[in-house]
Amino acid sequence: MAFESLSDKLSAAFKRLRGKGRLSESDVKEAMREVRLALLEADVSYKVVKDFVRRATERAIGQDVLESLSPAQMVIKIVNEELISLMGSESQKLNISSKSPSVVMLVGLQGAGKTTNGAKLAALTRKQQNKRPLLVACDVYRPAAIQQLETVGRQLDIPVFQMGQGDPVEIARAGIAHAKKHGNDLVFLDTAGRLHIDEQLMDELKRIKAATEPAEILLVVDAMTGQDAVNAASAFDAALGIDGIMLTKLDGDARGGAALSVKAVTGKPIKFAGTGEKLDQIEVFHPDRMAGRILGMGDVLTLIEKAEQSFDEKKAKELEERLRANKFTLTDFYDQLQQLKGMGSMQDILAMMPGVDAKALAGASVDEKAMARTEAIIQSMTPRERENPEIIGSSRKKRIAAGSGTTVIEVNKLLRQFESMQKLMRQMSGMSGKKLKRMQKLGGMGMPPGFGL
């Protein structure tokens, strides 16, 4: 998880502050020294760290903090506000031209994830803004780059324009003409990268920019490369004048210093973040929410958004009616599990909840395999058994266990958990419709007692 190491160190520093009733100036400075070390170890730029700690210290040794009834909380509040400011204060949108099609030029070093994450972003614009995106294959050098773009385009049902190994500038022009002809209002140019920045690469990108007049030049940066990511951002900005940054592989680096340095060094906003390998794992970058995650405050807004994206309004209404009639079956339970699964891994979901120790979740508390076994058991039942689990006797349990690759003990365990869940459903049947829907959106019905935690 991104920032895991930084989060741990900051939590340790603030824990010591919480044990003090009043803070002296030396207490604050000692805490800020630990913040400084934590940021440097997270691979944040030295100059950025120096400025950050100076600003936070100046604010934290003011009278309002030292005389506060809860000084430790005030210090955390200041660090939180400074982190938000460091990462850009507010989320930023993609620049969209009033002239259709609007062109987004994706640039970056080879291996940063331009092709896959560009396609993910195209899918996100279609989902959130009802755009009709077109992907254009302008990387004619990297082996299989065109095939890779076509593959992810097919998986996401997004059209791809390509002309093979031709001139990237002409391909970009032809791609835009194709978009106009076929009603695509947003064009993503997947340009070539290099293992390092060179004059030939930049010259080609400048020619593509001049020929296509993109509304947005989005730099795709691998968060795991740390300071190299910041250096690359500075070089691309100097040569092209980038408009924004997309951080990729944010899930793969426990340090995450690039996210804290790149905005401060380049002045360009981080607009999007790739948070995993799956094709739906991309999100708008919200500085305030990211600061909350870093400081262990959770990220409830993103959690709710994920829930709403997975939420099936029609099924929710049907379930509400069934609950009112005191009917909650294993089929309903299975549907709830699927919606919960659509929100991502249980560890990621729980890590967004305030007060939950994300590191502790790495233990036995979250078992993704348990959900898979539960699904397999339910899928091995007949429709009649799902509707009437009381008919499942010993012979049926043996058949279900064999069909799901589990044991009779596990089948019995699930049936006991489901019985407990049914009792809970009966209690909830008296809730108002609004409360029921809220529970469903947050996956409250998808977790049987004893499952996972």
Side-chain angles (χ1 to χ4, degrees):
M1 185 184 74
F3 305 111
E4 185 178 336
S5 177
L6 176 59
S7 294
D8 290 345
K9 288 182 172 62
L10 291 179
S11 293
F14 295 142
K15 191 175 182 180
R16 282 189 279 277
L17 285 182
R18 286 192 185 99
K20 297 175 182 287
R22 294 276 179 175
L23 295 184
S24 65
E25 189 171 318
S26 62
D27 290 332
V28 173
K29 287 185 175 178
E30 176 60 32
M32 289 304 170
R33 270 195 292 272
E34 293 187 40
V35 169
R36 175 177 173 275
L37 286 172
L39 290 169
L40 288 172
E41 286 179 25
D43 209 13
V44 182
S45 159
Y46 175 76
K47 185 180 182 303
V48 171
V49 173
K50 187 179 175 184
D51 292 343
F52 178 92
V53 172
R54 176 183 53 76
R55 287 194 307 271
T57 303
E58 285 174 0
R59 292 182 60 190
I61 59 176
Q63 292 298 109
D64 289 346
V65 173
L66 297 182
E67 294 181 6
S68 168
L69 291 174
S70 182
Q73 288 180 4
M74 287 296 291
V75 172
I76 294 169
K77 179 176 180 288
I78 288 167
V79 171
N80 180 52
E81 289 170 352
E82 290 296 333
L83 278 175
I84 293 170
S85 175
L86 187 64
M87 291 186 284
S89 296
E90 296 179 352
S91 58
Q92 300 286 325
K93 294 181 179 178
L94 207 62
N95 291 325
I96 302 290
S97 171
S98 56
K99 183 177 70 173
S100 184
S102 189
V103 178
V104 177
M105 186 174 166
L106 300 165
V107 301
L109 293 177
Q110 191 171 307
K114 283 191 307 299
T115 301
T116 302
N117 285 279
K120 286 183 187 182
L121 180 56
L124 188 69
T125 61
R126 180 180 61 190
K127 184 175 183 178
Q128 294 187 348
Q129 301 176 44
N130 295 316
K131 293 293 181 183
R132 297 190 61 202
L134 173 72
L135 300 169
V136 179
C138 297
D139 184 354
V140 298
Y141 310 109
R142 183 169 61 87
I146 297 171
Q147 292 93 320
Q148 183 188 353
L149 189 65
E150 288 181 322
T151 298
V152 291
R154 190 163 51 250
Q155 289 171 338
L156 291 165
D157 195 25
I158 295 173
V160 174
F161 178 85
Q162 61 101 350
M163 292 170 55
Q165 312 293 318
D167 176 8
V169 179
E170 290 307 314
I171 293 170
R173 281 202 189 101
I176 294 169
H178 179 89
K180 287 179 182 176
K181 186 177 178 182
H182 292 84
N184 300 104
D185 54 6
L186 192 56
V187 174
F188 288 86
L189 305 178
D190 181 32
T191 68
R194 299 282 193 280
L195 291 174
H196 58 276
I197 295 165
D198 59 34
E199 192 175 331
Q200 185 182 1
L201 167 67
M202 288 305 182
D203 180 59
E204 181 180 291
L205 294 177
K206 286 175 185 176
R207 287 189 292 116
I208 293 175
K209 177 185 177 182
T212 62
E213 298 180 349
E216 173 92 37
I217 299 179
L218 193 65
L219 175 67
V220 182
V221 169
D222 181 347
M224 294 178 70
T225 56
Q227 284 307 299
D228 288 340
V230 180
N231 297 335
S234 298
F236 274 95
D237 186 40
L240 291 170
I242 62 173
D243 298 296
I245 296 159
M246 182 197 298
L247 279 178
T248 65
K249 306 177 189 177
L250 203 56
D251 59 313
D253 187 12
R255 297 175 302 170
L260 297 177
S261 300
V262 73
K263 167 65 172 68
V265 172
T266 66
K268 307 296 175 163
I270 302 167
K271 295 191 174 184
F272 301 94
T275 56
E277 294 182 3
K278 293 179 182 177
L279 293 178
D280 62 347
Q281 289 183 311
I282 184 171
E283 58 189 49
V284 174
F285 187 85
H286 297 277
D288 54 343
R289 301 184 193 182
M290 190 58 71
R293 291 189 207 181
I294 292 170
L295 295 176
M297 297 174 181
D299 185 357
V300 175
L301 289 175
T302 298
L303 180 61
I304 290 170
E305 284 175 5
K306 283 178 177 288
E308 287 176 339
Q309 288 166 12
S310 304
F311 184 62
D312 189 319
E313 193 77 43
K314 185 182 175 184
K315 282 189 175 181
K317 194 169 182 181
E318 290 173 358
L319 180 58
E320 184 181 341
E321 289 170 2
R322 292 171 70 83
L323 286 174
R324 298 211 177 282
N326 277 330
K327 290 180 181 177
F328 181 73
T329 68
L330 280 160
T331 302
D332 299 321
F333 178 47
Y334 180 78
D335 288 341
Q336 289 294 302
L337 278 180
Q338 291 304 303
Q339 291 199 44
L340 189 66
K341 194 176 176 184
M343 291 171 62
S345 76
M346 286 307 303
Q347 187 161 333
D348 289 343
I349 292 168
L350 291 170
M352 291 182 194
M353 294 182 179
V356 175
D357 183 354
K359 197 168 185 182
L361 300 178
S365 55
V366 176
D367 186 359
E368 297 286 347
K369 292 179 181 177
M371 188 180 286
R373 287 195 295 271
T374 299
E375 289 177 356
I377 291 170
I378 297 173
Q379 286 176 321
S380 297
M381 295 176 183
T382 65
R384 185 165 170 247
E385 287 168 344
R386 291 181 200 174
E387 294 294 314
N388 307 283
E390 64 274 6
I391 70 171
I392 302 175
S394 58
S395 60
R396 288 177 184 263
K397 289 175 183 176
K398 286 177 184 176
R399 191 202 77 243
I400 292 165
S404 59
T406 59
T407 65
V408 171
I409 293 171
E410 288 174 302
V411 174
N412 282 329
K413 183 181 178 184
L414 172 62
L415 291 173
R416 284 196 303 272
Q417 289 176 335
F418 177 69
E419 193 178 331
S420 299
M421 181 61 73
Q422 275 188 315
K423 289 177 183 175
L424 176 62
M425 294 302 106
R426 290 190 194 104
Q427 293 170 9
M428 290 174 62
S429 63
M431 279 186 179
S432 67
K434 198 175 283 187
K435 281 186 179 179
L436 276 173
K437 284 186 179 180
R438 195 179 301 130
M439 284 290 287
Q440 285 172 272
K441 277 190 181 183
L442 291 175
M445 298 174 197
M447 226 14 145
F451 185 90
L453 284 179

